[in-house]
Structures are given as C-alpha cells and as structure tokens.
Amino acid sequence: MAGEIEVLKAGPLTTVQDLGRPGYADLGIGESGAADRRSFTLANRLVGNAEGAAALECTLGGLAVRFTRHTTVALTGAPAPARLDGRPVGLNAPVQVAAGQVLRLGLPAVGLRTYLAVRGGVAVPPVAGSRSCDLLSGIGPAVLRDGDRLPVGDETVGLPVVDVAPVPPLPAGEMVLRVVLGPRHDWFTPAAVATLLGEPYEVTSESNRIGARLHGPPLDRAREGELPSEGMVTGALQVPPSGQPVLFLADHPVTGGYPVIGVVVSADIPLAAQARPGQRLRFQVAR
C-alpha cells in the first residue's frame, strides 16, 4: 500500500468519488460519481492518475488531511484557500507533499465543491465497480468523518507533466445554464416555459448531491393528473406540484413521477454542480 490519508477534519461534507457506476439503473442503482467531473478528472490528470481514480470531493472546504508518505496531490474545482503545513498552495497544479505534512482547506469564496486527488488514487473497496459514495442509495463508502484513514492505491498512468492548468474562474454572480426542453414541457403552459427561460431561479439551502432545489416564479402546469414514473437523468429539471423546479445532480433518483420541463446539457453539468445556495441561475435553450 502506497501510504494513507489521515482525515483530521472532514469538513461539512467530504466524500470519496470516482466516475460512478453506470449501467445499473435497471437494478435501481444510480450512477453517482463526482458531481463536477470536469474538475475531478483534471485533478487526476495533474497527478498522473487514470482519470477515473477515486479522489475526495469536499463541499464548502473545512477539510484537513495528513499524508503518511511522500506523494503528489492536486486541488481543483471551487477555489478553497489551501495551506500545506501553513504554507499557501495553489489550485490546478501538482503539489509535492512530504510524509507527515498536513493540508488544510478553507471556505471557497465562489463555487461549492473542491476536489483533492492524490497520486495513485483513494483505494477504498469498490462497490458494484465503483468507489463513489451515493448519498441517495447509501451505496459505496460512507461520508468521511474525523479520524478516518484512507488507503492510497496505484491507479497511475504516468508522471505529472503539467505545472499548472489554465482553468476559467467560476462565476460569482448569476450562472447561465443551457437546457434542452422536454421531455414533458408540454405539461406546462407556454407562459411557464417562457418564465423558465426568462426569469432567474435561486439555489436554496435544501440542496445536495441529489439535486439543487430552486426558488423562483412557479411553473404552472397545462395538464393535471399523475404521470407514471419514468427514467431520470442528471440535469433533469423536475417540477413537483409546488411549481418550484429541482435540478437533479449526481445522486439523483433513477426514476421520478413529476414532469421534467427541461434538461441541462451535459457540458454544463459541472458548472451546475458548483452552484451554491443563494446563487441565481438562468436557463437558456441550447443552440
């Protein structure tokens, strides 16, 4: 074993994530995996890992970890201020860590989720082929707690070759997400569709890896009645009877019974995963 990661402080919510467990929806098991996969895979590339090697997804900072052996790590995603034994370290770059050193993350000023990759990956036992923690189903490793010890694996594909990766900053204000209407937008009035595409919606505090509950002008239905449960995908904007949409994220349910007015395009899911409570979203039709 290539050393361990000792969790001194787990922060508000830190989980082990990889690229999830696709292909099990017929068994009722969602895909899960890193919410912001763009940042997750970048972190792995920066340390010379396979893109799917497990890493830590830290929500709103607060993480403190010690490494038992010399290694290389990288931080990506929400720009949480980071210190290694008190020395500031940057994001989006490989960082050399000596045995015994402690890495601490503060609260990011923008964004929600910061990724910490360690060279070799986090080698907790996989479940159904994945090391992802699925908050909805409870499958996979548990949410990290103070005192946990995580083994480091050997999922490397080469040596780090980039000093720093250019990454556009996350928006601090309104965030624009592209959507494809449907599959049930005809269950809503034309005015409701125009409202979705014309008015801002605020991310509420009732949001997590399963979905972001949004608050804004209610979306009125054109049809009444019940909709048989149907398959759900990441990015779906499901609208319950309250008229307030829910944006499904990585740990969303496999099926749902409320109509989906639109779906955020896959290229914008990483951005959606970084929207924090209080932040306003606008939706526009993808061209």
Side-chain angles (χ1 to χ4, degrees):
M1 184 173 67
E4 288 184 320
I5 304 170
E6 300 176 358
V7 180
L8 306 179
K9 293 290 183 183
L13 176 66
T14 301
T15 59
V16 177
Q17 297 294 337
D18 58 15
L19 291 179
R21 44 185 70 85
Y24 293 95
D26 60 327
L27 301 178
I29 300 175
E31 185 167 330
S32 189
D36 173 0
R37 296 192 177 199
R38 187 179 299 151
S39 297
F40 167 83
T41 54
L42 173 60
N44 272 326
R45 291 197 299 273
L46 286 169
V47 298
N49 282 352
E51 283 196 340
L56 301 186
E57 180 182 278
C58 178
T59 305
L60 290 175
L63 178 70
V65 293
R66 178 189 290 123
F67 301 89
T68 63
R69 290 190 181 182
H70 172 272
T71 188
T72 305
V73 304
L75 294 162
T76 61
R83 290 182 174 274
L84 184 64
D85 275 2
R87 177 176 59 88
V89 295
L91 271 70
N92 307 314
V95 177
Q96 298 301 314
V97 179
Q101 286 194 302
V102 174
L103 178 68
R104 298 181 185 275
L105 301 186
L107 178 67
V110 296
L112 191 62
R113 296 179 168 97
T114 304
Y115 293 87
L116 169 61
V118 57
R119 181 167 168 77
V122 179
V124 297
V127 178
S130 169
R131 296 184 169 93
S132 284
C133 167
D134 185 335
L135 295 183
L136 181 64
S137 68
I139 293 176
V143 173
L144 294 192
R145 296 182 177 181
D146 298 354
D148 283 349
R149 299 174 72 94
L150 305 171
V152 175
D154 57 1
E155 289 192 61
T156 59
V157 293
L159 296 173
V161 295
V162 175
D163 290 333
V164 62
V167 175
L170 292 171
E174 280 191 352
M175 185 180 288
V176 178
L177 301 175
R178 294 168 292 172
V179 299
V180 176
L181 292 179
R184 301 297 179 188
H185 72 281
D186 59 339
W187 277 57
F188 297 87
T189 65
V193 174
T195 297
L196 176 72
L197 300 175
E199 300 294 332
Y201 283 82
E202 185 174 297
V203 179
T204 74
S205 58
E206 297 179 88
S207 301
N208 53 25
R209 282 179 43 84
I210 298 169
R213 291 188 177 277
L214 309 181
H215 178 71
L219 302 175
D220 297 325
R221 284 194 191 182
R223 296 176 55 176
E224 300 298 331
E226 297 297 325
L227 179 69
S229 290
E230 53 189 5
M232 290 290 141
V233 298
T234 304
L237 283 163
Q238 190 187 60
V239 184
S242 66
Q244 303 294 316
V246 180
L247 170 56
F248 280 159
L249 297 175
D251 291 352
H252 67 83
V254 173
T255 61
Y258 297 131
V260 172
I261 193 171
V263 180
V264 175
V265 300
S266 58
D268 287 358
I269 296 298
L271 190 58
Q274 293 292 356
R276 54 199 287 163
Q279 193 159 11
R280 298 207 303 181
L281 308 181
R282 285 187 183 271
F283 299 99
Q284 64 179 212
V285 173
R287 304 295 181 186

